Amino acid sequence: LMFYRTKHVTNLPDDWSPPMENIEMTFDEWMEKASVQPPPSKDDEHYYFRFNGIYNYSGKPCKGQNTWLYAELPHFNPTKESFYMVDPFQERGVNCRFGMPGNIAETHYDGSRNFILLMGGERRYVLAHPKFCLNMELYPQSHPSGRHSRIDWGDPTEYTDLFKEGMVNEVILQAGDALYLPNFWFHFIQSMTVNYQCNARSGNGEKKKLIKHIHECKFVG
């Protein structure tokens, strides 16, 4: 999985094609694909199910925004400051993501602090401090997948000398675990089993201290 955006890209690379496709399906349809045995190989299709919740500040019915998520996950209540919502009025909704074995989210950074709660299954996170930005070998900012590493972490033949000098740590989250991900920290995510997580962002936190590393990579942040 690699996020991409073409809206403001004026010169697409000649050899570029979208790295993934968005389709609509029900949760039951996804679960049927995610539970197939044996699990799909690296070259087979993988499916990732997701939906978002947007808080309804008006108190009026808000169709299609999954506002019920905030009742299910009061940790992410954006109306008051808490351990999970440090700057609640800069929250950007709740994102719930369901992975199947072999799903990978390619290495990238996000500009806001993030709190991740794993509800079921196992999910592996490989993390790198922003000071290793140059080692991550990012696509240019003008690329549709800017902010992402161009290195396939699953293929050691792609590793460059600069990439090998980067330092990372890793953790395998299990059901009930929470992970705090500060601004600009790089993360590579691998689904070990069928799993599901919800996360929410709340402000910029350590932006002033960490953005200098992103600037070294010629990124605005």
Side-chain angles (χ1 to χ4, degrees), residues 43-171:
D43 297 324
D44 292 331
E45 289 186 336
H46 289 71
Y47 295 86
Y48 192 64
F49 188 84
R50 63 179 182 173
F51 61 89
N52 302 326
I54 306 297
Y55 192 78
N56 180 10
Y57 287 95
S58 70
K60 300 177 181 179
C62 193
K63 184 178 180 180
Q65 299 300 306
N66 297 316
T67 55
W68 54 268
L69 274 173
Y70 291 90
E72 292 288 329
L73 299 170
H75 318 75
F76 294 147
N77 184 334
T79 63
K80 59 181 180 180
E81 184 177 324
S82 70
F83 178 75
Y84 295 99
M85 300 299 289
V86 181
D87 195 349
F89 294 104
Q90 292 194 43
E91 67 96 23
R92 298 174 57 187
V94 173
N95 308 299
C96 292
R97 311 176 189 278
F98 298 72
M100 62 186 290
N103 273 148
I104 286 175
E106 300 292 356
T107 310
H108 66 285
Y109 75 83
D110 297 305
S112 53
R113 64 161 71 91
N114 203 348
F115 234 121
I116 300 154
L117 305 180
L118 194 75
M119 312 297 185
E122 294 184 342
R123 185 173 289 209
R124 175 180 178 235
Y125 276 78
V126 182
L127 310 171
H129 190 281
K131 67 183 178 182
F132 296 110
C133 182
L134 289 172
N135 304 94
M136 295 298 104
E137 299 270 18
L138 301 183
Y139 283 114
Q141 189 166 3
S142 59
H143 191 277
S145 293
R147 296 187 297 112
H148 288 72
S149 173
R150 63 179 180 84
I151 303 293
D152 179 356
W153 285 31
D155 183 1
T157 64
E158 289 197 11
Y159 294 2
T160 64
D161 290 340
L162 181 62
F163 177 75
K164 292 177 183 178
E165 292 174 358
M167 300 289 290
V168 301
N169 50 24
E170 68 176 311
V171 61

